[in-house]
């Protein structure tokens, strides 16, 4: 079958990983998962990375690398952090029905999260109607974020500030795969609860991370409008895959209350639109080049429209690109990695949401399921204002394995 579930459809690399997984432990039910561990030497100091919107629920909901990537000055520098455990439970319900779920456990928090739990109804081969808790189909990284698949421990800043990965929501939609002029394609289209700005977090101008709402419908307090999310991927040629994503939601127009402790005031509709492109190119089946670019807007900021109309337009964009290749003086189990990226969370403002990153790393895979990673990050905040620049540089060591 060309298409089953997001977790099973990660091309040959992930299929090979699953071949050595614990499977069929009870009839047709499948149990898989992964473990992650990290040693961090980066000092995170930007307000954009530990704003008031980054609450406990946000940190716990992310599938991040051991220290949860909750970038805070309160994280001890040079600390070994406890692991996270992720379990996937899949099983066919009938000839046309399949169930998939993902459960995450963070020992530090003693909390469980369920970012995925859905049922697929295959109304014809390779095409299904899906309902439940699903990953938002925006870009490639958010869909395939499993740590053992990555050659770097820390995610791109693009997927921290601009795209609130790991991004999931409750909804319904259609997913599938097929052939278009003899070229494979994949698609996902959902109607979802959507993001909400009910805490007036967009006013901080630090990106969309404060809008993340874990797919819990009752937090969408402003109206009953639903978000629409979609992604289409096409294998243009051998070794080249292109993707297009789009997301639109009414996040609500909120103005922070002047009374301390009071909830923001709802002022009507405010539509957020996000458009993205992703690509992946493989050379000689060894060198891999991939990346993403996204841009969008959230109409005018209601507060800025009153006091500073010239700053009211709320536009943002960002990108990252990464190259992975075998190290020529070592065997193919060692790979060198280079990543570059840039994010501008508010194009009319110079703030800590103007971030650039350069990462260089080495990974080692003793087998198909396990990866050891060593990387150095050079990350600059306030990149457009040299007088206020801050760095989040440092070394990171990580280990991840799947079972």
């Amino acid at each position: 079958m060309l298409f089953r579930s997001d977790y099973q459809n990660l091309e040959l690399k992930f299929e090979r990983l699953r071949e050595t997984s614990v499977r069929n432990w009870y009839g047709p039910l499948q149990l898989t998962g992964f473990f992650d561990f990290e040693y961090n030497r980066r000092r995170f100091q930007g307000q954009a990375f530990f704003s008031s919107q980054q609450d406990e629920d946000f940190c716990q909901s992310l599938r991040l690398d051991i220290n949860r990537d909750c970038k805070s000055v309160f994280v001890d520098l040079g600390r070994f952090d406890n692991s996270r455990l992720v379990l996937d439970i899949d099983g066919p319900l009938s000839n046309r029905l399949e169930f998939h779920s993902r459960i995450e456990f963070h020992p530090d928090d003693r909390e469980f999260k369920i970012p995925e739990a859905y049922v697929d109804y295959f109304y014809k081969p390779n095409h299904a109607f899906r309902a439940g808790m699903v990953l938002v189909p925006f870009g490639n990284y958010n869909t395939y974020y499993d740590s053992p698949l990555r050659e770097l421990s820390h995610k791109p800043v693009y997927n921290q500030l601009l795209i609130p990965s790991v991004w999931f929501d409750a909804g319904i939609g259609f997913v599938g795969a097929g052939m278009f002029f003899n070229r494979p394609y994949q698609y996902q289209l959902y109607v979802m609860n959507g993001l909400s700005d009910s805490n007036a977090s967009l006013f901080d101008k630090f990106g969309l991370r404060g809008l993340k709402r874990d797919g819990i419908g009752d937090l969408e307090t402003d109206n009953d409008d639903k978000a629409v999310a979609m992604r289409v991927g096409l294998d243009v040629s051998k070794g080249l895959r292109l993707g297009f994503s789009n997301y639109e939601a009414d996040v609500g127009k909120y103005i922070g209350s002047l009374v301390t402790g009071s909830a923001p005031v709802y002022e009507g509709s405010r539509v957020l639109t996000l458009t993205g492109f992703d690509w992946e190119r493989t050379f000689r089946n060894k060198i891999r080049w991939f990346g993403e670019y996204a841009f969008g807007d959230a109409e005018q900021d209601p507060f800025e429209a009153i006091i500073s109309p010239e700053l009211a337009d709320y536009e943002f964009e960002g990108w990252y690109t990464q190259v992975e290749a075998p190290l020529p003086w070592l065997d193919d189990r060692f790979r060198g990695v280079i990543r570059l990226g840039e994010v501008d969370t508010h194009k009319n403002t110079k703030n800590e949401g103007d971030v650039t990153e350069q990462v260089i790393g080495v990974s080692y895979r003793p087998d198909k399921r396990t990866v050891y990673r060593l990387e150095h990050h050079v990350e600059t905040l306030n990149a457009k204002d040299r007088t206020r620049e801050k760095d989040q540089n440092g070394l990171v060591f990580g280990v991840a394995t799947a079972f």
Side-chain angles (χ1 to χ4, degrees), residues 287-300:
I287 301 174
R288 183 170 174 245
W289 171 51
F290 62 95
E292 299 185 32
Y293 167 75
F295 64 93
D297 68 82
E299 297 185 347
Q300 289 194 333

Side-chain angles (χ1 to χ4, degrees), residues 323-347:
V323 177
E324 304 168 357
L327 298 178
W329 57 90
L330 298 171
D331 60 45
D332 288 348
R333 294 177 297 176
F334 292 87
R335 297 181 70 82
V337 187
I338 296 176
R339 183 169 73 206
L340 304 175
E342 184 175 346
V343 167
D344 187 346
T345 58
H346 193 275
K347 298 179 71 172

Side-chain angles (χ1 to χ4, degrees), residues 183-203:
R183 305 309 310 172
Y185 72 86
Q186 314 83 34
Y187 69 89
Q188 298 183 64
L189 174 64
Y190 297 110
V191 176
M192 318 178 106
N193 284 330
L195 298 171
S196 173
D197 192 31
S198 56
N199 288 331
S201 62
L202 284 178
F203 179 75

Side-chain angles (χ1 to χ4, degrees), residues 162-178:
L162 195 62
I163 308 303
S165 300
V166 172
W167 188 6
F168 55 91
D169 202 346
I172 60 174
F174 296 90
V175 295

